Amino acid sequence: DAYYQPKQNYHGKSAEYLVVSDRIETLWAHFIRICEYAPQEKLDEIQDEINRLEKEKERLFKRDQMAISNMRRQLETVTSGKATVSS
């Protein structure tokens, strides 16, 4: 459907953040499965990717928190503006 909109998440995390988190979990599971027999180079590659994704997850989290903070600030401004108008 061209007009499909995904459901809003109710936990304050963006879809991007959730995708990155899921990817990290998948990589950790893969790492644990292969750690006994895989060459160290392969394990290092997986750890590097996990570290990169962790940084990306942190950046997304901070961005989302800033957006939430800005929305609250705007809501407070609008609410306080209505309070002074009605007084």
Side-chain angles (χ1 to χ4, degrees):
D1 190 359
Y3 298 102
Y4 170 77
Q5 291 184 347
K7 290 183 181 179
Q8 290 284 341
N9 60 44
Y10 297 102
H11 35 71
K13 296 176 182 160
S14 67
E16 295 168 286
Y17 179 90
L18 296 174
V19 167
V20 171
S21 293
D22 287 346
R23 180 70 180 136
I24 290 169
E25 287 181 30
T26 302
L27 283 171
W28 272 121
H30 181 64
F31 181 87
I32 290 169
R33 280 193 309 272
I34 68 168
C35 68
E36 291 183 18
Y37 62 85
Q40 188 61 42
E41 287 179 14
K42 180 67 175 170
L43 298 176
D44 289 343
E45 287 176 17
I46 293 171
Q47 283 185 319
D48 289 345
E49 180 68 8
I50 290 170
N51 290 337
R52 185 189 69 75
L53 289 170
E54 286 288 351
K55 288 178 185 175
E56 178 71 10
K57 185 173 106 172
E58 184 177 338
R59 184 190 66 78
L60 291 169
F61 179 79
K62 287 179 181 178
R63 183 200 68 187
D64 294 346
Q65 292 301 309
M66 184 62 71
I68 291 169
S69 176
N70 290 339
M71 285 190 315
R72 284 184 182 150
R73 203 172 302 127
Q74 287 176 350
L75 183 62
E76 288 172 2
T77 303
V78 169
T79 305
S80 66
K82 287 181 181 178
T84 54
V85 169
S86 63
S87 297

